[in-house]
Amino acid sequence: MDINELHKKLKSGETTATALTRSYLDKIKVTNGKINSFVLVCEEEAMKEAGLADERIRSGKGITKLTGIPIGLKDLLCTKGIRTTCASKILENFVPSYDATVVRKLKDAGAVILGKLNMDQFAMGSSNEHSIFGPVKNPHDETRIPGGSSGGSAAAIAAGQCIATLGTDTGGSIRQPAAMCGVVGVKPSYGRVSRYGLVAFASSLDQIGPFAANVTDAAIVLEAIAGHDPKDSTSLKKPVPNYAELAKKDIKGLKLGIPKEYFIKGMDAEVEASVNQAIDELKKLGAEILPITLPYTHSALACYYIIAPAECSANLARFDGIRYGHSSKNAKDIKDLYERSRTEGFGDEVLLRIMIGTYVLSSGYYDAYYKKAQCVRTLIKKDFDNAFAGVDAIVTPTTPSAAFKIGEKIDDPLQMYLSDVFTVPVNLAGLPAISLPCGKTKTGLPIGLQVIGKHFDEETIFRIAYNYEQHS
Amino acid sequence: MAKITKETVEKVAKLAALKLEPAQLEKYTKKFVTILEYIEELNKIDTKGIEPTSHAEDVLDMNLREDICAKFDAADMIASNFPRREGNLNAVPKVIESE
């Protein structure tokens, strides 16, 4: 059932937030042992919030579309009084003293927070295998990964454990798992959603966005969490449109660019066929399909793997075992305490990225790596600027292949990173993009279609996605 | 590419306030080399005259708010995260050695 239907039933009294929350908590109890998407279920708090939502509905005051709607949160969004771990040992027992702005906004809207969702540690990973809570299983095939890093957020939707979830996307961490789990995931424009209370990975790339089972639900949740926040100076003062309503407009005459660089040798033939079929469908719906070129696409991943680790090494310097988080018991002095707490507290992939980041920022290498990557970032942005001079949106596959097996790429970081090859350029350019299902492989694995928009033009990508969803 | 050895990785670990065991060092050096070889690809791109980008451009004309004090009501929750709490104080190892 979607948010609009549930909203009607809640308002008419046909169901209550309490009953709805109970049924989702029961579903989590039955399914979570297999899927491992939830790392913390907040049963008591959720039932309390549901009771408050019911009161709000009875009083008729302050009801929003999200009042009484059960939602899950990736475990790197700070929740006041509720453990927030980033799936790491270093924050295993960390309890924030404040809510992230997106969490506060959901609570203010009357949403019910069911709990915290599994992820790759500190959002670093593409398979949700880098978690102290163990891997998340793909609900479509439990021997396969759900994608990452927001694997728990995507799998929870696919397994019917939540109506909507929030994740974060630094290089594809919303869109890639959305594609692999067959759900809708939205990476908003950089600056659209406040990052206050999000445990930072790479601050110039991170954005929080929604997952849902359909485009309209994702649009409703994005509208609720978007907007300027005085606590995040990079969140822009631009009005938030009614995305769900605007998405209903048809796509006749819209110009859609198809970049040839996103149909690469070695990509899965079934993925390519499904995406081409979706493009045909969009054409039938009246869109004009135009070939475009984004020549620096092939450099985006290398660029990303300099910029993201560089920012990560700076952001994660705050974890020192002094004020919160894991603090080594065996340290002999302050320096030893820093080193031991950090080395014991961070997982393998996080340690690797901190060191890569430290290296590319270190004296003598800064210009060769970091500054070079920033210049390439400019070229990648220009690619998109040039393309958007002639098209309204860009349509691509979300990933080169469907979900891979658990353990398949865990020892080969480069192969793992390559699963983000089509999602990373969007983050470097700060653009909005959505991934939505566009068919399945013969073995039943979901395939994702990515629609990329101009900066702050979420309306158009929702519109294309909604029209495709209604007719596919 | 500058040659990456175990010593390079050890030095980087030290800069990042990390302390790796010999076995870890071996493992990370291998991964380090793979990744650096890959990112070296960027050197093939001519970026002469190209300005570096550090943020999505529209974000640069952000408005900074006024710095106004506001009351924070959960100080005790911050203190409960202290690894070595003594009352409302956070105990830390000695920073300056006394002779």
Side-chain angles (χ1 to χ4, degrees):
Chain A
M1 225 178 306
D2 65 36
I3 293 176
N4 280 323
E5 282 174 71
L6 285 170
H7 182 62
K8 263 188 218 145
K9 290 194 174 186
L10 285 165
K11 273 209 325 200
S12 69
E14 202 178 317
T15 187
T16 63
T18 304
L20 192 63
T21 302
R22 185 75 267 160
S23 75
Y24 276 89
L25 288 169
D26 289 345
K27 177 91 191 206
I28 294 167
K29 261 184 206 148
V30 177
T31 51
N32 208 50
K34 275 190 193 168
I35 305 297
N36 199 28
S37 43
F38 272 86
V39 299
L40 185 72
V41 180
C42 306
E43 183 162 351
E44 205 178 302
E45 293 90 341
M47 291 309 291
K48 209 170 122 194
E49 284 165 15
L52 290 172
D54 282 330
E55 261 173 48
R56 198 193 278 214
I57 292 164
R58 269 194 299 274
S59 78
K61 278 186 204 132
I63 308 172
T64 78
K65 284 216 166 149
L66 293 183
T67 305
I69 300 296
I71 286 180
L73 304 171
K74 186 176 182 179
D75 204 22
L76 51 30
L77 297 170
C78 285
T79 39
K80 186 174 181 178
I82 293 171
R83 192 187 69 170
T84 300
T85 68
C86 292
S88 72
K89 181 177 172 184
I90 208 157
L91 291 181
E92 201 175 357
N93 299 308
F94 175 61
V95 180
S97 54
Y98 65 97
D99 277 326
T101 295
V102 291
V103 175
R104 187 185 50 72
K105 283 190 166 198
L106 288 178
K107 284 185 179 172
D108 287 351
V112 175
I113 310 295
L114 294 178
K116 306 300 288 283
L117 294 158
N118 209 340
M119 55 185 281
D120 280 298
Q121 193 172 130
F122 283 99
M124 297 175 202
S126 311
S127 66
N128 215 130
E129 292 169 288
H130 302 293
S131 161
I132 53 157
F133 302 105
V136 175
K137 315 282 172 62
N138 191 318
H140 294 271
D141 175 350
E142 288 162 24
T143 66
R144 289 176 188 271
I145 59 112
S149 65
S150 312
S153 304
I157 299 294
Q161 297 174 325
C162 298
I163 293 290
T165 60
L166 294 188
T168 57
D169 191 315
T170 305
S173 285
I174 289 176
R175 290 158 289 152
Q176 187 255 27
M180 291 184 169
C181 287
V183 303
V184 175
V186 184
K187 184 257 168 211
S189 304
Y190 188 80
R192 180 73 283 186
V193 178
S194 166
R195 293 179 292 112
Y196 179 73
L198 148 69
V199 181
F201 160 16
S203 305
S204 81
L205 305 165
D206 295 342
Q207 270 293 293
I208 301 165
F211 288 88
N214 61 74
V215 175
T216 304
D217 286 0
I220 292 170
V221 176
L222 181 61
E223 188 185 340
I225 62 170
H228 174 67
D229 176 12
K231 288 173 173 160
D232 175 5
S233 58
T234 64
S235 66
L236 298 191
K237 284 181 184 162
K238 290 195 182 181
V240 181
N242 182 335
Y243 296 121
E245 207 43 49
L246 292 167
K248 292 179 186 162
K249 197 173 169 221
D250 69 49
I251 57 166
K252 286 196 184 81
L254 270 189
K255 291 191 171 89
L256 306 184
I258 315 297
K260 61 172 192 251
E261 292 83 3
Y262 282 66
F263 295 83
I264 51 172
K265 230 168 70 180
M267 79 184 279
D268 191 284
E270 285 183 289
V271 170
E272 192 172 356
S274 281
V275 170
N276 281 328
Q277 215 178 333
I279 292 168
D280 283 346
E281 191 62 43
L282 292 168
K283 195 173 171 183
K284 278 187 211 148
L285 292 171
E288 191 182 336
I289 306 297
L290 299 164
I292 59 165
T293 174
L294 298 166
Y296 287 99
T297 300
H298 65 281
S299 306
L301 200 62
C303 178
Y304 176 84
Y305 275 98
I306 294 173
I307 289 171
E311 293 186 20
C312 126
S313 74
N315 272 326
L316 272 59
R318 75 191 63 176
F319 302 104
D320 55 9
I322 301 288
R323 293 150 298 153
Y324 51 85
H326 172 73
S327 187
S328 181
K329 300 283 175 283
N330 316 310
K332 58 179 195 295
D333 56 32
I334 186 103
K335 193 163 157 281
D336 197 37
L337 179 65
Y338 294 152
E339 291 179 348
R340 282 177 191 267
S341 301
R342 288 166 62 76
T343 313
E344 292 165 8
F346 290 129
D348 281 359
E349 182 64 23
V350 177
L351 287 172
L352 178 65
R353 295 204 198 182
I354 289 174
M355 288 192 286
I356 296 282
T358 305
Y359 182 78
V360 299
L361 289 176
S362 64
S363 160
Y365 298 104
Y366 180 88
D367 281 353
Y369 292 107
Y370 188 63
K371 200 167 161 219
K372 183 84 186 178
Q374 286 189 311
C375 292
V376 175
R377 186 175 183 180
T378 305
L379 295 171
I380 290 163
K381 277 186 66 189
K382 277 193 179 153
D383 267 3
F384 282 108
D385 289 347
N386 293 339
F388 280 126
V391 298
D392 299 300
I394 295 170
V395 178
T396 77
T398 309
T399 59
S401 68
F404 46 89
K405 291 267 187 192
I406 291 173
E408 193 181 321
K409 300 184 180 181
I410 192 79
D411 292 321
D412 189 344
L414 212 52
Q415 277 309 310
M416 186 74 92
Y417 297 172
L418 281 168
S419 65
D420 296 329
V421 67
F422 296 154
T423 49
V424 152
V426 165
N427 298 75
L428 291 168
L431 303 172
I434 188 169
S435 178
L436 71 158
C438 71
K440 285 182 174 177
T441 65
K442 280 188 204 86
T443 51
L445 299 173
I447 295 168
L449 181 73
Q450 176 172 241
V451 184
I452 305 167
K454 295 175 186 169
H455 197 229
F456 268 71
D457 189 14
E458 279 80 2
E459 292 100 298
T460 301
I461 61 172
F462 276 124
R463 197 173 139 199
I464 295 161
Y466 177 81
N467 276 273
Y468 174 74
E469 182 187 67
Q470 294 305 303
H471 294 92
S472 62
Chain B
M1 182 175 90
K3 189 157 165 46
I4 302 294
T5 60
K6 269 196 274 185
E7 287 68 38
T8 323
V9 177
E10 201 167 16
K11 190 182 153 208
V12 170
K14 206 173 160 194
L15 287 173
L18 301 169
K19 189 181 272 172
L20 300 180
E21 298 294 329
Q24 276 179 305
L25 200 56
E26 194 89 38
K27 188 175 76 182
Y28 285 115
T29 306
K30 248 188 233 162
K31 291 190 176 181
F32 222 85
V33 172
T34 317
I35 292 168
L36 283 184
E37 269 173 11
Y38 181 70
I39 61 182
E40 285 280 326
E41 263 186 50
L42 293 191
N43 286 332
K44 293 182 199 150
I45 301 170
D46 181 11
T47 51
K48 207 181 278 170
I50 305 289
E51 286 294 314
T53 295
S54 54
H55 257 98
E57 68 192 320
D58 293 12
V59 174
L60 291 177
D61 52 58
M62 61 196 173
N63 298 310
L64 292 177
R65 67 180 156 82
E66 291 220 20
D67 195 10
I68 302 167
C69 288
K71 200 168 159 46
F72 180 72
D73 61 2
D76 192 60
M77 293 179 82
I78 293 178
S80 0
N81 280 303
F82 293 163
R84 294 166 191 84
R85 182 177 180 176
E86 288 178 18
N88 255 349
L89 301 174
N90 183 17
V92 297
K94 203 159 42 171
V95 180
I96 301 165
E97 291 299 322
S98 54
E99 290 292 319

